[in-house]
Amino acid sequence: MSFTPFPRVALIGIGLIGSSLAHVIRRNGLASEIVVSTRSEHTLRRAEELGLGDRYCLDAGEAVADADLVILCVPVGASEAVAKWIGPALKPGAIVTDTGSTKASVVRQMAPHLPKNVHFIPGHPIAGTEESGPDAGFAELFRDRWCILTPENDADADAVARLTAFWEACGSTVETMDADHHDLVLAIVSHLPHIIAYNIVGTADDLEAVTKSEVIKYSASGFRDFTRLAASDPTMWRDVCLHNKDAILEMLARFSEDLAALQRAVRWGDGDALFDLFTRTRGIRRSIVEAGQDTDIPNFGRDAAAKGAPGND
Ligand code: NAP
């Protein structure tokens, strides 16, 4: 599939997602020039050592000047400050997008600060790992993963098509939906699993009757699969919880009700209820593998895959 490269792409934030974009843009020739901007001198220098861009700026306004595509790759809670910063410097006709894990809040934070003559199309690649920072990125991160775009109804169709083609050229399949629906879907498939993982690992850490060394020693019996999610970046996940509050609380309420039912089944020895639930959930796992969103290699493919393994988010 042929893709006309953007003359200049600006990446604002160069952690896992920004650096993965830098790698795939470079490898697949998706831009003539990559400008990298990040908050700290330290991360910017590291990005430069890794050769992630062609130009490096601490000033996000300077970075976006003359950029045709601007991609925010910062924690969702930083969206407003970045939008305020880059707004006055954006080139008319530029496409401005983001990669944040929540969408309605990002729209609320950014839209008021962007000029009317740019195309703002929020986005979220459903791909990630528990790693963060500029060393964590790799070009394959987005391959065979979904990317959700949440354009407003009056968004420019050509700009949406161009951004769609960009993500496809990164290896993803693009779906569009409205921001509120995105937040509801992601609350159950991503945000709740992370919260549950943080909670169970925290509970284990607080136990007194079972020692920490026992928890670690016998973790292969299930616990360790939660620890991968619970090792995810604390800043990112704090912001996700703060910025998708309503949908997360709705899903947590449903989860708590279902957990109470499960608790009752265990208490009353209702083996049929337990068996029925566990059979139903096994089917979901099979569907995920069939959809290519995980591997059926035993042990979650852990032995076969390092980078490129099914990820977070
Ligand atoms: P990351 O590896 O932690 O990198 C974050 C980047 O944002 C760094 O360049 C950091 O700059 C910068 N930053 C942090 N706080 C900032 C602030 N207050 N103001 C301005 N810049 C700030 O994060 P990431 O995993 O790439 O995540 C980036 C975005 O992608 C987030 O919105 C996240 O929700 C979304 N996302 C993440 C995943 C995932 O699995 N990680 C998947 C899909 C989408 P310095 O290092 O210079 O401080």
Side-chain angles (χ1 to χ4, degrees):
M1 184 194 3
S2 84
F3 174 82
T4 309
F6 285 99
R8 181 180 289 179
V9 171
L11 299 173
I12 311 299
I14 195 76
L16 169 71
I17 299 296
S19 62
S20 294
L21 278 169
H23 284 296
V24 71
I25 290 169
R26 179 86 80 205
R27 190 193 63 186
N28 294 0
L30 308 183
S32 308
E33 187 185 27
I34 302 171
V35 185
V36 171
S37 179
T38 188
R39 177 178 62 162
S40 71
E41 179 86 44
H42 174 260
T43 302
L44 195 67
R45 291 287 76 86
R46 185 62 191 144
E48 194 167 3
E49 281 164 19
L50 293 166
L52 294 174
D54 301 297
R55 278 202 302 120
Y56 303 87
C57 320
L58 275 180
D59 183 331
E62 194 186 313
V64 303
D66 265 335
D68 309 276
L69 173 64
V70 175
I71 311 178
L72 267 65
C73 310
V74 298
V76 289
S79 308
E80 180 168 26
V82 172
K84 268 188 192 164
W85 196 352
I86 64 172
L90 290 165
K91 170 167 128 173
I95 296 175
V96 180
T97 187
D98 78 305
T99 53
S101 306
T102 73
K103 295 275 57 87
S105 157
V106 166
V107 173
R108 275 195 303 274
Q109 292 181 70
M110 290 185 66
H113 305 291
L114 300 178
K116 295 283 166 261
N117 60 10
V118 303
H119 304 294
F120 176 40
I121 306 165
H124 177 201
I126 312 298
T129 74
E130 66 276 25
E131 306 293 336
S132 49
D135 287 272
F138 55 106
E140 293 292 294
L141 180 65
F142 308 109
R143 189 164 62 88
D144 297 333
R145 295 285 170 258
W146 291 93
C147 179
I148 298 176
L149 301 181
T150 64
E152 292 291 308
N153 289 337
D154 59 355
D156 181 78
D158 289 344
V160 175
R162 184 102 170 96
L163 187 60
T164 300
F166 169 80
W167 278 109
E168 287 172 351
C170 292
S172 298
T173 308
V174 175
E175 187 128 309
T176 58
M177 62 180 71
D178 77 50
D180 288 331
H181 188 66
H182 165 279
D183 288 356
L184 202 60
V185 172
L186 268 292
I188 187 64
V189 299
S190 171
H191 307 169
L192 200 64
H194 279 81
I195 288 171
I196 292 167
Y198 282 122
N199 194 54
I200 191 171
V201 176
T203 302
D205 192 41
D206 290 341
L207 285 179
E208 283 172 4
V210 179
T211 64
K212 196 175 281 184
S213 67
E214 285 174 313
V215 167
I216 291 167
K217 187 167 156 189
Y218 302 121
S219 62
S221 52
F223 181 72
R224 75 173 179 193
D225 292 319
F226 287 100
T227 60
R228 189 181 66 77
L229 291 183
S232 300
D233 187 70
T235 304
M236 169 183 160
W237 284 97
R238 176 203 63 196
D239 280 12
V240 167
C241 290
L242 296 178
H243 288 270
N244 197 21
K245 183 175 160 179
D246 293 343
I248 287 174
L249 288 176
E250 163 69 19
M251 292 305 166
L252 268 175
R254 285 168 179 256
F255 173 79
S256 303
E257 279 176 26
D258 291 343
L259 188 62
L262 194 54
Q263 198 174 348
R264 207 165 36 245
V266 173
R267 184 183 304 286
W268 294 107
D270 187 349
D272 288 346
L274 296 173
F275 188 83
D276 286 352
L277 175 65
F278 301 164
T279 304
R280 188 152 59 89
T281 55
R282 208 173 202 197
I284 298 274
R285 167 82 196 151
R286 260 198 301 276
S287 310
I288 289 171
V289 172
E290 277 162 22
Q293 294 302 303
D294 204 348
T295 160
D296 59 0
I297 298 169
N299 209 11
F300 289 89
R302 199 178 264 111
D303 301 333
K307 285 188 164 179
N312 291 10
D313 218 31

